Amino acid sequence: MILPRYRIAPSTIGGAGKGLFLDEDVAAGRVITAPDAIDRTYGAQELAARPDLAYASARWFEERYTLSPDWPDECYINHSFEPTGLWHLGFVFALTDLAAGTELTVDYRHLLPPGQAEDFIDTASGEKIVGFGWAESLASSTRALGRLFR
């Protein structure tokens, strides 16, 4: 679920298609998206063995993933190595005060399986987007979240 008012519009990121834009100011640390209606998670091996489950997926914890077969609006949050939002255990927090009109982005390395490369590169840097290991993802997102609430 997306908590602030928002709209889907052409992304400002080259090649990204559409993006999710805030329609109201959002204070640093505010929850922007939160999990809802998650009926199950899938193990990484299960997903790899079941190509019929090839929908948008996101890592939630350890090697457990959720699937989005219907492409909800949260799927329009694009990647950035300098994101406006922080992905932490399925929640997205505003990393700074965000003005209405800001495109919401997160670092996809937190959502991908460890070592898996995204099918596209980061347009700003030209670098590959490769999933963090679980411990690295949790440690770095926890530190970033802690800095938000000092």
Side-chain angles (χ1 to χ4, degrees), residues 32-51:
I32 298 174
T33 70
D36 66 338
I38 298 168
D39 59 350
R40 74 166 289 195
T41 63
Y42 297 83
Q45 290 182 348
E46 181 179 8
L47 289 177
R50 300 260 324 264

Side-chain angles (χ1 to χ4, degrees), residues 80-140:
S80 175
F81 285 142
E82 295 181 21
T84 56
L86 170 67
W87 173 274
H88 181 76
L89 297 173
F91 291 84
V92 175
F93 296 84
L95 274 171
T96 61
D97 290 336
L98 302 174
T102 299
E103 182 171 3
L104 185 59
T105 57
V106 296
D107 187 337
Y108 280 10
R109 295 176 294 181
H110 294 285
L111 286 76
L112 293 169
Q116 178 180 316
E118 193 58 88
D119 293 336
F120 51 87
I121 60 170
D122 177 78
T123 58
S125 69
E127 295 179 35
K128 287 183 179 181
I129 305 162
V130 180
F132 288 138
W134 168 245
E136 180 181 9
S137 174
L138 184 61
S140 66

